[in-house]
Amino acid sequence: MTSFRSVFPVLALCWLAVFFDGMDVNIYGAVMPYMLDDPGLGLTAADAGTIGSWTTFGMLIGALLAGNVTDWLGRRPLLVSSVTLFSLGSALCALAGSAGLFGAGRFVAGLGLGGLMPLCLAMVLEFAPPRRAALATGLLMTSYHAGGMAATGLGMTLAPAAGWRWVFWAGVLPAVVAVPLLLRLLPESPGVLLARGRRDEAYAVADRYGVPRPASVEAPGAGAKGRLSAIRELFRPEARYATPLLWVASFCGLLLVYGVSTWLPQMMRSSGYGLDSSVSFLLVINAGGIVGMLIAGRTADRFGAVRVSAIWFVLTAAGALLLKAHLPLGVTYVVVAVTGVWLFSAQVMVYAATGTVYRDKERAAGLGWVTGVGRTGAIVGPWLIGVLAQNGNESWGFTAFALTGAAGACAIALVPLARRLGGARPQAPAAAPAEA
């Protein structure tokens, strides 16, 4: 029987990989104020927003590729490749002598970052106890915010003392720390092993970790034909209306996540807060994100990921509107922390909601496309705030975040109706979570 104890190695290794993902994504926002003040780099606010979009454009490509070849090539090799790639991108950023070369480094990092998240999510969902899938997803995603807090700490301490380049050199650590552990300890997906004809290995891994042995129907098809078939299955009658709604919700969620991660310190600095306080807001919002993942995971296991995601999006919109007002510093810290509780887990619960729409054999492709199409929001977010900042209208960014939260709430809330319109049977109420 599956329990958190039996699958702890998989969850721990994926947690480590996503920790470095969160650190790399948040490094840019944490050091941007220092980079804008560096005359040797020649970075403008508009350039900064465009480079943020290059990062997420790389993520878009990486997520789409990973989601559609992972069941063919294997999840562990692609996960190792993803970590290696974003470490290489961080090294290029540390060496960059111009904004253009720095942007190229962020694009390379984005290719690795985009592939890593859907791979880790698919692994954890496959190995997690069935009735604790949302909690397992939430626990995994706490690592993203722990990585974000580490990046902010590096930005606040290392950047002023040694320069912003040394913060990016710290981003090379994943290749040194995580890659050897993943190669040695992470198992391959039983479903992928079965799809590649390695039945005995698939059953051995499933038995070792206490997960059900995969059936042939659960194993995704191999080769180009299997890839195309997996994409077509995302639009089978029961999912054809829900799939676009999941994409819209993911677009909104990732616009919020990457818009905030890239621009929050600079937006708060432009609102009149000091440089140190402005950077520390990124630390605080990620701390709220960790709390939010734990709350959202447990709540979604009881009431459903769709319902929780919709409510969280609405609360995020409210928090963004409050941040538009210049509140006393102490109150602002509280609002930022509480907004972090809702903002990041609203997006993660969109991922968890894919389990209500897609079957086991469609899971990796479904997550890949939900995260991949959603990356267009991650491209738009940094670019949009960069345009506003260039024109001195950073405060309008908070309004844009609020409207995006409202749109995300509408999209995810309509998923159950879309499934019924497609002919899916209504789901039974969620059972109370079992003890791990």
Side-chain angles (χ1 to χ4, degrees):
M1 182 177 178
T2 309
S3 67
F4 271 118
R5 180 176 297 177
S6 63
V7 301
F8 177 78
V10 175
L11 181 59
L13 288 166
C14 289
W15 195 98
L16 178 65
V18 176
F19 170 87
F20 285 122
D21 180 310
M23 189 176 84
D24 195 285
V25 169
N26 285 274
I27 276 178
Y28 186 38
V31 301
M32 185 190 293
Y34 302 101
M35 294 176 67
L36 290 170
D37 290 344
D38 181 357
L41 188 63
L43 187 70
T44 67
D47 290 337
T50 301
I51 289 172
S53 295
W54 288 358
T55 310
T56 49
F57 181 63
M59 290 180 178
L60 167 62
I61 297 173
L64 292 177
L65 288 175
N68 288 284
V69 303
T70 177
D71 296 323
W72 182 18
L73 300 177
R75 292 180 189 170
R76 183 173 64 178
L78 283 178
L79 187 54
V80 169
S81 299
S82 296
V83 174
T84 303
L85 202 55
F86 72 71
S87 297
L88 175 61
S90 190
L92 290 174
C93 290
L95 293 168
S98 66
L101 185 57
F102 180 86
R106 292 306 291 163
F107 176 77
V108 171
L111 291 173
L113 294 167
L116 185 140
M117 189 66 74
L119 289 169
C120 287
L121 285 166
M123 287 288 287
V124 168
L125 286 172
E126 182 172 6
F127 282 85
R131 299 177 69 191
R132 308 304 292 272
L135 177 58
T137 303
L139 287 172
L140 172 68
M141 293 305 297
T142 61
S143 60
Y144 177 91
H145 303 290
M149 293 175 69
T152 308
L154 289 171
M156 294 176 65
T157 57
L158 195 57
W164 59 266
R165 294 180 187 276
W166 282 100
V167 182
F168 283 97
W169 280 121
V172 181
L173 286 175
V176 179
V177 176
V179 166
L181 292 174
L182 292 170
L183 286 171
R184 182 175 177 83
L185 301 175
L186 186 69
E188 185 53 272
S189 155
V192 171
L193 290 171
L194 184 61
R196 299 169 70 184
R198 297 159 63 179
R199 183 182 301 271
D200 291 342
E201 291 180 58
Y203 288 172
V205 172
D207 293 344
R208 186 185 316 139
Y209 290 91
V211 299
R213 290 183 172 185
S216 297
V217 71
E218 297 170 344
K225 184 177 180 181
R227 309 279 68 74
L228 293 174
S229 176
I231 295 170
R232 285 196 299 269
E233 287 297 307
L234 303 184
F235 292 92
R236 60 188 170 84
E238 297 89 345
R240 60 187 171 190
Y241 302 124
T243 289
L245 288 170
L246 288 172
W247 290 357
V248 171
S250 185
F251 172 92
C252 294
L254 287 172
L255 188 154
L256 289 167
V257 168
Y258 288 94
V260 169
S261 296
T262 302
W263 279 102
L264 182 64
Q266 187 62 25
M267 289 170 68
M268 300 305 283
R269 186 184 185 189
S270 299
S271 296
Y273 298 96
L275 177 58
D276 289 342
S277 297
S278 297
V279 174
S280 69
F281 286 130
L282 195 59
L283 179 72
V284 171
I285 202 166
N286 276 290
I290 292 177
V291 176
M293 292 302 168
L294 299 175
I295 294 173
R298 289 186 174 275
T299 307
D301 275 333
R302 186 172 181 86
F303 298 106
V306 169
R307 185 179 302 174
V308 169
S309 181
I311 294 172
W312 266 223
F313 268 121
V314 171
L315 293 171
T316 298
L321 289 177
L322 283 174
L323 288 176
K324 188 175 182 179
H326 188 89
L327 303 169
L329 183 60
V331 176
T332 303
Y333 274 119
V334 173
V335 173
V336 169
V338 172
T339 302
V341 171
W342 318 123
L343 187 155
F344 299 103
S345 49
Q347 169 63 20
V348 173
M349 290 303 107
V350 174
Y351 298 148
T354 61
T356 69
V357 176
Y358 303 125
R359 298 169 296 191
D360 287 343
K361 66 177 183 178
E362 302 153 6
R363 179 175 295 146
L367 277 170
W369 278 89
V370 168
T371 56
V373 174
R375 294 294 179 192
T376 58
I379 294 170
V380 170
W383 168 81
L384 175 62
I385 307 305
V387 171
L388 293 173
Q390 186 69 14
N391 295 312
N393 295 318
E394 288 97 331
S395 64
W396 283 98
F398 294 114
T399 303
F401 290 153
L403 292 173
T404 301
C410 292
I412 194 67
L414 289 172
V415 166
L417 175 61
R419 294 188 70 249
R420 290 195 292 271
L421 290 174
R425 295 180 180 179
Q427 291 183 302
E435 292 299 324

